[in-house]
Amino acid sequence: MDPIELQAQRQSAERDVLAMGLVLHRQLAHQPALDEEDLGRVIARMPPAGPELVRLPWSLPRPVPEALRAIANRCTDRQERHRYRNARTLSRALQGWLDAEASNAGGALSLLLDRVRAQGALPSAPGGSVRVSQLMRMERERTNELAEIVLRDLALSFELLRLVNTADAQLSANGGAVLTLRRAIALLGLQGVQRAAQALRPWPGSLQPEAAQALASLIATVQRAGRVAQALRPPGYDREVVHLVTLLQNLGRLVVQAHFPEEAVQLRKLMQSAPSDKPGEPDEPGMTEEQASFAVLGADVQAMGLAVARQWGLDDSVLHMVRRLPLGAPARAADGDDDLLRALASAANETVDASALPAAQVVPALQRVVQRYGRALGLTLKDLQQALQLAATPGGEDITVGASAPGSPGAADDTLRRSEPR
């Protein structure tokens, strides 16, 4: 097709999808957008042609589910780059929401659970065969040393947690969730760990090179967050539990990247800020992760991670900890160890997210983390900066910021609480 004709066809398709979004807006709001019946005139008043904004009001005759609200608002977003470009992407988001509403486990969520069940959460990290060989040679080594090897591979770590938290394994463990690799290794035995490692899909699984690189980058970021959490942990808290809770708070991001790589690209684009068209004005903000995931998948990324964790047999107390604290509100003083671990992992993840921003935005973003968690966890800006430095240094995860009595990495007790001191 002639390039000019192709461009005209694409623009026409985008206009059709925008018009469909305005129809959806009218159905949900029970009145036409901008009080204008003619869709063409509404489009002419919206960016980039006009200044009028079209978003669903919060007060509506009937409540609108958050996922559907996000889909409708993306259709008419004031930033053209955020809008649906074709009917296929809009249809996928709507179908994902419809299936999830119909069965509470449909659409993208149902497909994800099926893929995780069949293929595993992640492909084994590069060098998986070397790790299997190491495990084969370590029959007489202590479980904490084996755990250190396993923890380098998120796929193997998650697979061991899944295996030991099935119903049969929980009976063997006298009930309750298992959340240390030391205890998982003790329950499964070295041969069980070896079989789990050999059963994993080799890197990069079915991912294309670009998607595999994105997953590798995300895994490195998540592992760094785990090391930051270890550096920030209060005295007496088990470093492996802290690390794993922090990893599990990223489970949704990881499985979406591994099993829905094309959608993950859309999510990242929607969340990116863009330079303002007018000099001197602040950048145009991107969507939140929740808004973007609703708009692309019809489901929340964090909820998808929790569904996978629930499929693995993790109990309600663990699911509480691996649910990130909501943004925009200060963290409250912890009522117990579960609340403290949840807040600590959330703070570590937000610290790493802040460190990935452009250089001029890093310190202000870290200060916001301190404002949220400073009182609850006793953190300062210096603590966060030191933790980031330690997390970037080989072996830095063994050092704590301002802690004089870190928990024992070799403790035999599998507890989510304070571990016994050395």
Side-chain angles (χ1 to χ4, degrees):
M1 184 179 292
D2 180 81
I4 296 178
E5 292 181 3
L6 180 61
Q7 180 66 20
Q9 187 180 59
R10 287 176 177 172
Q11 290 176 351
S12 178
E14 291 176 15
R15 183 182 175 89
D16 288 343
V17 174
L18 175 55
M20 178 60 200
L22 291 172
V23 172
L24 177 61
H25 177 100
R26 174 168 184 161
Q27 295 297 318
L28 297 176
H30 296 272
Q31 63 182 29
L34 307 181
D35 294 321
E36 173 61 68
E37 296 283 354
D38 189 296
L39 296 181
R41 291 179 180 176
V42 176
I43 292 173
R45 293 169 59 182
M46 294 173 61
E52 301 282 0
L53 304 182
V54 175
R55 291 183 67 82
L56 282 176
W58 288 107
S59 177
L60 292 170
R62 294 182 180 179
V64 176
E66 285 304 304
L68 186 56
R69 177 183 290 273
I71 292 170
N73 284 338
R74 183 187 175 188
C75 288
T76 61
D77 199 285
R78 64 190 179 90
Q79 298 186 50
E80 281 189 285
R81 66 191 183 93
H82 283 172
R83 296 174 188 167
Y84 294 101
R85 295 301 181 94
N86 56 64
R88 184 179 65 254
T89 54
L90 172 57
S91 176
R92 284 177 180 173
L94 285 170
Q95 192 61 54
W97 171 75
L98 285 170
D99 291 342
E101 286 290 306
S103 64
N104 294 322
L109 178 55
S110 179
L111 181 58
L112 173 67
L113 294 177
D114 288 344
R115 289 181 178 178
V116 169
R117 190 180 295 110
Q119 304 172 17
L122 304 171
S124 178
S129 59
V130 175
R131 271 184 294 280
V132 172
S133 299
Q134 284 182 292
L135 293 171
M136 297 289 287
R137 295 195 301 267
M138 294 184 69
E139 286 192 42
R140 297 180 180 83
E141 300 298 332
R142 297 193 306 170
T143 56
N144 65 298
E145 294 171 341
L146 291 171
E148 289 294 334
I149 294 176
V150 172
L151 198 57
R152 299 171 196 163
D153 189 336
L154 258 62
L156 182 55
S157 300
F158 289 159
E159 179 63 9
L160 296 187
L161 291 181
R162 183 191 70 80
L163 288 172
V164 299
N165 283 291
T166 59
D168 292 341
Q170 283 194 35
L171 291 176
S172 302
N174 296 319
V178 176
L179 200 58
T180 67
L181 296 178
R182 301 189 306 275
R183 184 62 173 155
I185 292 169
L187 286 169
L188 295 171
L190 183 60
Q191 290 185 345
V193 176
Q194 292 169 351
R195 285 195 298 270
Q198 291 169 333
L200 293 173
R201 290 179 300 151
W203 184 269
S206 60
L207 294 175
Q208 296 299 313
E210 187 174 348
Q213 179 57 46
L215 179 58
S217 177
L218 178 58
I219 288 174
T221 299
V222 169
Q223 290 280 31
R224 187 183 183 206
R227 296 193 295 271
V228 168
Q230 289 180 347
L232 294 174
R233 77 189 191 280
Y237 277 85
D238 188 287
R239 55 187 291 269
E240 187 186 315
V241 171
V242 167
H243 192 111
L244 283 169
V245 170
T246 307
L247 298 185
L248 287 168
Q249 284 193 353
N250 293 280
L251 182 57
R253 291 181 177 180
L254 289 163
V255 293
V256 166
Q257 178 61 60
H259 295 281
F260 298 121
E262 294 181 4
E263 288 81 356
V265 172
Q266 292 184 52
L267 291 177
R268 287 193 295 273
K269 288 181 178 179
L270 291 175
M271 293 166 61
Q272 290 173 350
S273 59
S276 173
D277 294 334
K278 300 178 181 179
E281 292 193 358
D283 291 347
E284 296 283 354
M287 293 184 181
T288 66
E289 183 175 58
E290 182 182 54
Q291 292 171 336
S293 58
F294 279 148
V296 174
L297 298 165
D300 180 21
V301 164
Q302 180 171 232
M304 297 175 86
L306 291 171
V308 172
R310 188 177 293 109
Q311 185 186 71
W312 292 348
L314 299 180
D315 61 24
D316 288 342
S317 66
V318 177
L319 295 179
H320 170 73
M321 286 188 292
V322 302
R323 183 181 289 108
R324 282 201 193 190
L325 290 176
L327 295 173
R332 299 180 302 173
D335 293 332
D337 292 315
D338 289 357
D339 286 338
L340 188 143
L341 287 168
R342 181 189 183 194
L344 177 61
S346 298
N349 280 309
E350 290 176 33
T351 296
V352 171
D353 288 345
S355 70
L357 295 172
Q361 301 176 26
V362 171
V363 171
L366 291 177
Q367 289 173 334
R368 289 193 290 273
V369 177
V370 173
Q371 290 172 355
R372 269 169 57 75
Y373 297 98
R375 180 172 297 181
L377 298 175
L379 299 177
T380 65
L381 177 60
K382 183 178 180 181
D383 290 335
L384 300 187
Q385 292 170 328
Q386 287 182 343
L388 286 169
Q389 292 176 348
L390 293 172
T393 304
E397 64 271 22
D398 296 325
I399 307 170
T400 54
V401 175
S404 57
S408 170
D413 178 36
D414 179 47
T415 176
L416 308 185
R417 321 301 180 198
R418 294 179 183 272
S419 60
E420 294 294 327
R422 287 193 176 115

